[in-house]
């Protein structure tokens, strides 16, 4: 704080000096005196020439008198400057202005900072208070998280066989979206505590997050290994169900979700959603099921509540998955509806079985869809209705929690919801109000 005040004072004094010093000494330069001496010498020469012209008769008396008076006036003006300089009158006004500004500039700077600045901004106590307030309102600050991460790494460098330390490091890195570091920490933990289903499932989840939320064959093998060790491992069941759904293996997805439903508590808040996922997967997979469905959830469907792990609790950020169209849409649900069309010029780039994702996302803020369904190219043009039950994942916003949305559609040749080069897509040109019907979404561009 003291250093800050000293720097401000020095800067104000420097500004005042830059203005006042030139004013104080500006009227006393040697160049001005030399100029006046030269002017007086010229005037004296002109007076001598005038007398010579009068004596030679080249000018008359009236012209002589007029010219002589003009020369005398100019001589008086020049000598007046010399008298003012000798008396100090010529430099008095600039000096007065310099003195005034020497006071006004620092005072105005101080008053301006008092009115507009924050005096406590450099106070360590104030900074500590603001960080504490941030931590209490929004969790740990980024600085706190980084310090925690660095401390854990330092401790593990000294004690690399500390399993709890590696678990905490993985959790901390995951919360900071540093998924590669989380994977590395889980690998270390897996080496210390082998054949633990919860650790393997968490490690697979972090590997998927680091891979753009895509489950590769290697990740799938890890998840299946977790199920071999613990057939009820909730995260492995949820992720494998989502993976099967993305690959359009609907019957297999239904099987995984059924196993998950059998192992969640009776009072689990999202049992109905998981049940709806099962019905829709069975419908799309050709399995006989007479119960109408709503959209399948994302991988948070089961991750909303977890069971405690034998040696370390399983916890990791969830990743979004896919959804499917509802078979029924009650009239009182918040919804948007319209038609998805494919531009004629792009029809040669798609196949009948390519997946078409139809979604609605908030007009501002998060780009995570609040409603979601999917069909195939052969169904285009497709009349759709997205309602508040067709959410992207449990716990996120729905159409009932936003007022306006952007509605779009994307054709994915891989069947993956995550946008990729080569996908064909289109969106409404402007946000539309929730409840709007008769929309037209034209798929007209190719993602580069």
């Amino acid at each position: 704080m003291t250093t800050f005040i000293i720097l401000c004072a020095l800067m104000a004094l420097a500004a005042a000096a830059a203005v006042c010093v030139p004013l104080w000494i500006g009227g006393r330069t040697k160049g001005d005196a030399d100029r006046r001496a030269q002017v007086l010498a010229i005037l004296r020469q002109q007076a001598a020439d005038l007398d010579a012209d009068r004596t030679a008769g080249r000018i008359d008396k009236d012209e002589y008198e007029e010219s002589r008076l003009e020369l005398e006036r100019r001589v008086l003006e020049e000598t007046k400057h010399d008298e003012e300089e000798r008396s100090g009158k010529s430099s008095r006004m600039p000096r007065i202005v310099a003195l005034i500004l020497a006071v006004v500039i620092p005072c105005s700077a101080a008053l301006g900072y008092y009115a507009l600045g924050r005096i406590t901004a450099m106070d360590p106590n104030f900074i500590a208070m603001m960080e504490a307030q941030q931590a209490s309102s929004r969790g740990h600050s980024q600085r706190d998280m980084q310090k925690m991460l660095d401390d854990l790494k330092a401790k593990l460098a000294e004690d690399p066989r500390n399993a709890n330390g590696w678990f905490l490091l993985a959790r901390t890195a995951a919360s900071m979206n540093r998924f590669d570091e989380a994977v590395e920490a889980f690998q270390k933990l897996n080496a210390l505590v082998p054949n633990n289903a919860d650790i393997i499932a968490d490690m697979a989840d972090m590997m998927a997050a680091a891979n753009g939320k895509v489950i590769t064959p290697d990740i799938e093998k890890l998840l299946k290994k977790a199920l071999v060790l613990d057939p009820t491992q909730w995260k492995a069941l949820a992720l494998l169900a989502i993976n099967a759904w993305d690959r359009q293996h609907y019957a297999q997805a239904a099987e995984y979700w059924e196993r998950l439903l059998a192992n969640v508590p009776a009072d689990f808040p999202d049992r109905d959603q998981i049940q709806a996922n099962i019905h829709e997967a069975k419908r799309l997979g050709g399995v006989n099921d007479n119960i109408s469905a709503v959209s399948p959830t994302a991988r948070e469907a089961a991750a909303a509540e977890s069971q405690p792990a034998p040696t370390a609790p399983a916890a990791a950020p969830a990743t979004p998955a896919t959804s499917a169209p509802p078979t029924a849409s009650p009239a009182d649900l918040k919804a948007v509806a319209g038609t998805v069309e494919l531009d004629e010029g792009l029809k040669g780039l798609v196949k009948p079985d390519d997946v078409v994702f139809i979604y609605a996302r908030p007009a501002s803020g998060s780009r995570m869809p609040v409603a979601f369904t999917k069909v195939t190219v052969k169904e285009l043009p497709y009349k759709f209705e997205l309602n508040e039950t067709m959410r992207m994942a449990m716990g996120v916003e729905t159409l009932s929690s936003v007022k306006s949305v952007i509605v779009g559609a994307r054709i994915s040749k891989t069947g993956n919801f995550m946008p990729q080069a080569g996908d064909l897509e289109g969106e409404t040109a402007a946000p539309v109000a929730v409840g709007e019907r008769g929309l037209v979404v034209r798929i007209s561009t190719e993602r580069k």
Side-chain angles (χ1 to χ4, degrees):
M1 189 68 178
T2 303
T3 303
F4 175 70
I5 293 174
I6 292 173
L7 288 174
C8 290
L10 291 175
M11 292 175 67
L13 290 175
V19 175
C20 298
V21 171
L23 286 172
W24 186 267
I25 66 174
R28 303 174 61 187
T29 61
K30 184 177 182 297
D32 288 345
D34 292 341
R35 184 193 63 80
R36 284 194 290 273
Q38 292 174 0
V39 171
L40 289 173
I42 293 171
L43 292 176
R44 284 194 293 270
Q45 182 61 44
Q46 289 179 350
D49 293 342
L50 185 62
D51 289 338
D53 289 341
R54 176 71 176 88
T55 303
R58 287 190 287 270
I59 57 176
D60 57 22
K61 181 180 179 181
D62 292 338
E63 188 176 357
Y64 171 77
E65 292 295 336
E66 183 178 353
S67 298
R68 185 178 61 80
L69 290 173
E70 175 62 23
L71 288 172
E72 289 177 352
R73 183 186 64 77
R74 293 180 62 186
V75 169
L76 288 173
E77 288 180 355
E78 294 298 332
T79 55
K80 180 181 178 181
H81 285 296
D82 288 338
E83 291 176 359
E84 287 179 350
E85 185 175 293
R86 286 192 294 270
S87 64
K89 292 180 179 180
S90 62
S91 60
R92 185 174 301 168
M93 183 54 66
R95 290 185 176 184
I96 293 173
V97 174
L99 289 173
I100 293 173
L101 292 177
V103 176
V104 169
I105 291 176
C107 290
S108 61
L111 291 174
Y113 185 79
Y114 180 78
L116 303 175
R118 176 172 286 181
I119 299 174
T120 59
M122 301 297 291
D123 186 351
N125 293 330
F126 175 79
I127 295 173
M129 182 186 70
M130 293 301 295
E131 290 185 347
Q133 182 179 358
Q134 181 187 36
S136 63
S137 61
R138 292 180 294 182
H140 293 294
S141 67
Q142 189 69 18
R143 182 189 299 180
D144 292 337
M145 295 297 291
Q146 184 61 51
K147 185 177 185 304
M148 189 183 303
L149 199 67
D150 293 339
D151 290 345
L152 284 170
K153 289 180 178 179
K155 291 179 180 179
L156 289 170
E158 299 175 357
D159 183 13
R161 299 193 60 80
N162 185 342
N164 288 333
W166 286 113
F167 176 72
L168 290 174
L169 178 62
R171 286 284 303 274
T172 304
S175 67
M176 299 173 68
N177 293 332
R178 295 163 72 164
F179 302 121
D180 288 333
E181 293 184 35
V183 170
E184 184 179 352
F186 273 123
Q187 289 173 341
K188 298 284 188 181
L189 179 60
N190 186 50
L192 294 173
V193 188
N195 299 324
N196 183 292
D198 298 296
I199 293 173
I200 294 173
D202 280 346
M203 179 170 61
D205 192 23
M206 288 299 95
M207 292 172 67
N211 192 44
K213 303 177 182 178
V214 176
I215 296 177
T216 64
D218 289 339
I219 297 173
E220 185 178 1
K221 288 180 182 179
L222 284 176
L223 293 171
K224 289 182 177 179
K225 180 180 178 181
L227 286 185
V228 171
L229 296 170
D230 180 5
T232 66
Q233 213 293 321
W234 61 270
K235 183 171 288 187
L237 290 169
L239 294 178
L240 286 170
I242 294 303
N243 184 50
W245 176 272
D246 287 341
R247 294 163 56 193
Q248 301 183 26
H249 296 169
Y250 300 116
Q252 189 178 43
E255 180 186 351
Y256 283 126
W257 268 316
E258 284 179 331
R259 291 170 60 182
L260 175 64
L261 187 64
N263 289 283
V264 297
D267 58 349
F268 185 70
D270 289 314
R271 285 184 64 91
D272 292 340
Q273 185 66 49
I274 299 174
Q275 186 67 65
N277 297 343
I278 295 169
H279 296 327
E280 185 64 12
K282 285 184 175 181
R283 183 183 70 83
L284 293 174
V287 180
N288 184 28
D289 195 302
N290 296 322
I291 304 176
S292 62
V294 293
S295 63
T297 182
R299 67 189 63 198
E300 288 95 340
E305 286 194 10
S306 62
Q307 300 174 0
T311 58
T319 51
T322 58
S323 178
T327 58
S329 176
D332 58 344
L333 294 177
K334 299 289 186 181
V336 290
T339 304
V340 173
E341 300 176 349
L342 176 60
D343 190 272
E344 290 290 335
L346 299 179
K347 289 186 176 180
L349 301 178
V350 298
K351 297 178 181 179
D353 292 330
D354 285 347
V355 178
V356 183
F357 296 102
I358 307 171
Y359 58 88
R361 62 177 176 84
S364 60
S366 172
R367 296 180 64 87
M368 176 67 72
V370 293
F372 178 80
T373 189
K374 74 176 183 178
V375 294
T376 58
V377 168
K378 62 186 176 186
E379 298 176 73
L380 298 179
Y382 180 78
K383 292 184 178 180
F384 69 89
E385 179 178 284
L386 302 175
N387 63 54
E388 63 187 89
T389 68
M390 305 168 70
R391 53 187 174 176
M392 182 71 175
M394 291 185 174
V396 302
E397 290 184 317
T398 68
L399 277 174
S400 63
S401 57
V402 295
K403 294 182 179 180
S404 60
V405 292
I406 298 289
V407 181
R410 179 170 60 256
I411 299 176
S412 172
K413 297 180 180 180
T414 63
N416 195 324
F417 178 77
M418 299 302 295
Q420 300 181 41
D423 289 355
L424 307 180
E425 55 192 5
E427 289 186 339
T428 53
V432 298
V434 174
E436 193 79 19
R437 294 182 176 273
L439 302 173
V440 176
V441 178
R442 180 174 292 275
I443 300 175
S444 59
T445 59
E446 182 177 1
R447 175 175 283 270
K448 301 300 183 182

